[in-house]
Amino acid sequence: MRRDAWYLPAVIIIVAAAVRFHKLETHFLWIDEGTSWYIAKFLSLNNIWADRIYAGHFPFYFLFLKFWIMVFGDSEFSLRLPSLIPSIFSLIVFFNISKLLLKANIARHWSLFIFSFSVYGLTLAQEVRMYSAALLFFCLWIFFLIKIIKDYPRYSILYSCSLFLFLLNGSVCIIPYLGVLSFLFFKFKNKIYRRISFLTIFVLIPFLFLYSSILSRSLNIEMECYYLKHQFALKTQLLNMIGWVLRFFKDITGFSEMSFYDLPYSLTLIYFVIFVLFAILSVFGLLKLSKEHKRIGLTLMLVSFLSLSLSYKFESRYFFHLLPFIAIGWGDTMARLYERSKKIAMLFILLWGCLYINDTILYFKIPKSAWGNIADYIEENESIQDEIWLLPDFSLGAFSYYYDGESTVAGIGLGGMPTIDKESGIWYIVWSNSKLPWVGGVLAIEADRFLKRYLYLKSDLEMSRYFVTKNGEVELHHYIPR
């Protein structure tokens, strides 16, 4: 690569970093972020370990966040900084991956541009969760995987360290791990691949107890939700799989959920066709890579999508490990298009650019949550002995981060119902996503119906408000005793 070929990548990375820093502290924490803060802030080290294993996560990110808060505080900016920093380093690592996989500079630059400015990546960079760090260590792992295949055993230690750091992020890493292991097993007869396979398995050994604990809980827990009850209905399962796959491609293509609000049906179909087209282009680009590199990306995709048939919950952010390969595929396709027809290539670039700009504006314009606004409203209007009920109960973290009032706050679990004090007014807050299958499904809906019916019989509805945010509509109701 020519020395001046670093100028454009450096500009892309610097601008992308600036975008990630923009308004880092202005979005209210949403439920998952609030949960991260609450666990790190109030739980002891022993309780963090037990709580996170029970919830199906590894505790390491939350333990790190606890010590981070002790040193740097728990402002929104501080809480999100541990996600933002690895996201910036991931841009540098990704560019080095693109240099190994792509021959043309234009392909490398375009793939870096896609990877850097995807709103999907921006979301991970500004969220108080482990996904941004997982993406960085995944990129490092893939980089050293390519290196170790070419020059074993020179990169063995770096390969093992990057894989170890990746696995620290927990259950979100098991699918990409199995994908890479499947890729290595395809050529198990090859001595180098066989040695790398054994090395890959060896690094997993310290985590086997944690994974077995999470798996054991998953197999024994009673999940009374719609999705699991219909898990083996082929038609339903296929529709769910297609929906999740398309949602992932929608997210990385630059389509916010808000992009589809208030659109005519015909325009929604056009949007749908566009992001399916981008998905096809990215896969086409992967198919044009060298045989070994193509196998890595396609095996990861196949294993990831097959896992949908076994999972009751698979959000688009769980596909974070596919983002580098999607960007590589796009970069390769755009370079080939540019060679054949600059006009068509520029048309695609212009189309994606317009969609990205629109989606980025929506991302910064529409808050992630409304918990800060809701907390302020209650504080201004609450009375003595009021109670605040939250459905689901794990919204307690996000709400508590902003609420400084004196009312009693109760999280409503799907198993138990609170009792009503006739002297108290009830602020009843419902996060609409609590009604989705993976949060509670039928039980969440029934709990909501029961409580509202119960409150209507004993109280008068004083006020009702709705807050539409990126991560689900929130209903706020105020009941006063009769």
Side-chain angles (χ1 to χ4, degrees), residues 201-218:
I201 294 172
F202 178 78
V203 176
L204 180 67
I205 291 176
F207 299 97
L208 285 178
F209 173 74
L210 293 173
Y211 276 118
S212 62
S213 299
I214 291 173
L215 179 61
S216 175
R217 177 189 174 275
S218 300

Side-chain angles (χ1 to χ4, degrees), residues 23 61 74 185 206 210 219 229 261 268 274 278 285 304 311 326 346 351 369 390 395 453 456 480:
K23 292 188 175 182
Y61 169 79
D74 61 350
F185 281 167
L210 293 173
L219 293 176
K229 288 181 178 179
Y261 281 13
T268 304
I274 291 173
F278 277 122
S304 299
S311 175
I326 298 300
M346 292 306 297
L351 176 61
S369 79
L390 301 170
S395 59
R453 191 183 309 119
Y456 272 121
I480 57 174

